Amino acid sequence: MVSKTIQTQPFTDQKPGTSGLRKKVSVFQKPHYLENFVQSIFDSLQGYQGQTLVLGGDGRYYNRQAIQTILKMAAANGFGRVLVGQGGILSTPATSAIIRKYGTFGGIILSASHNPGGPDGDFGIKYNIDNGGPAPEKVTEAMYQRSKEIDSYKILEAPDVNLDTLGKFNIGDMAVEVIDSVADYAELMQSLFDFDRIRELVTNGQFRMCIDSLHAVTGPYAHNIFEERLGAPQGTVTNGTPLEDFGGGHPDPNLVYAHDLVEILFGENAPDFGAASDGDGDRNMILGRRFFVTPSDSLAILAANAKLVPGYSSGLAGIARSMPTSQAADRVAKHLGIESYETPTGWKFFGNLLDAGRATLCGEESFGTGSNHIREKDGLWAVLFWLNILAVRQQSVEQIVTEHWQTYGRNYYSRHDYEEVDSDRANNLITSLRAIAPNLKGKRYGSYEVEYGDDFSYTDPIDGSISQKQGVRIGFTDGSRIVFRLSGTGTQGATLRLYLESYEPDPAKQNLDPQQALAELITIADEIAQIRALTGMDKPTVIT
Ligand code: G1P
Ligand code: ZN
């Protein structure tokens, strides 16, 4: 087998976003596009010669082709060994777990997370470092810089390999191991949660649950963990076979895109518990019978009940949440006498806090929750955490959440997304907000008075790195907030995200529909940012 050096031209658009490089499949299929970016990844790393790389993806269209290419490039670039998931399948949390368990140099995950797949859908590639977490900004920036000047890449001329059978073989001098996609991850879950107790719950004949994998990567994991290891009835897991186009759906576990599950949980004779995960398995949505748990509340409730779960029974070091996530978890941290941290959007900002032992649980409002067990958010982990709490407390999801609100107060919360906005219009909106936010202090809007307005900037407490322009925040004197930011994961136009939060300590007033409770803030947000006028849209495309 010969290693070849192929001449190429740089592309100008290979800047990784919130979570890796995401583009339409057709963009990745352009000659040299994938290869350029993979070589840019390798060129910005040091010391990988002879080392081990983990490789897998969420099974979306182009996953298999990309894996073949990356294997040949890894071999030509001098990696010693690649651990690749069977069939090319590895969820994002499983990849993180495998990097950590085997102490590998890093890993490549092929996914565009919750974005739709298929030939007309999206594809993506992200690199994780040796702690199992997403490459930090200085690494992704180096990849981008490299991609702008790259003029050649290395690839081995070799036949495609069989990804479907477990086993070991060589490509050139590099060893390849096709590994079980599920086993290491499932064992890690078993080490954190009380499987005996959860098994009692899910097999008692009373408790019914429904786990929807949305035809995406968690299918094999969920079948193995819930049905095989925990003994839940066959059929508990639905849409459990990963499909290249996710069955035509949008593998995003929220009230809009996981509508089949929502209909079941809000329908007649609804089960006790429902959950869904996204394309690559790092997100989760938790539902009770006719009850939706907001991700922000979920983080707070997991933290408040962590003592009930074996992996966390010795207490939490701290709780970290992304800036737009509601402040519900901060109240739990205060109650527990532990630190809380507010970071920019994106899981990569939690890595340093977790590595330094400063935070144990982390969460984002965007259906992401996780802990120090890996360095990614983890969808099925969150589901198991909830099941462990339910098994111990023997209460319904709704009872657990409402009791939580009674104790800590309720943070009404909602996110409004305006998708596919013209990029110039969206940038104008944010630029003008940046300019006016600092001058709003003391201004009154209806019953609210502005306490502060700023553009969120974060100084990492561990390495001192500074991340600016992370979203415009407008805080009110009663603790309510409005946050605006542009998505960093989209592939078409811009997505404006509006995050709304208000605090209600009075249990008698905690039963409103969030859109109703937040109605005045929604109007104020439009008044301040001129959303309708500047986007040309009269309402959001997605409300969660
Ligand atoms: C979105 C979410 C963010 C999450 C990211 C990757 O990013 O808002 O919390 O970390 O996806 O799953 P955004 O599109 O807002 O940049
Ligand atoms: Zn994801």
Side-chain angles (χ1 to χ4, degrees), residues 19 22 92 111-114 126 251 278-283 377:
S19 185
R22 285 189 200 169
T92 289
S111 172
S113 188
H114 50 287
K126 50 187 180 173
D278 72 331
D280 62 331
D282 56 359
R283 294 186 174 199
K377 58 194 175 219

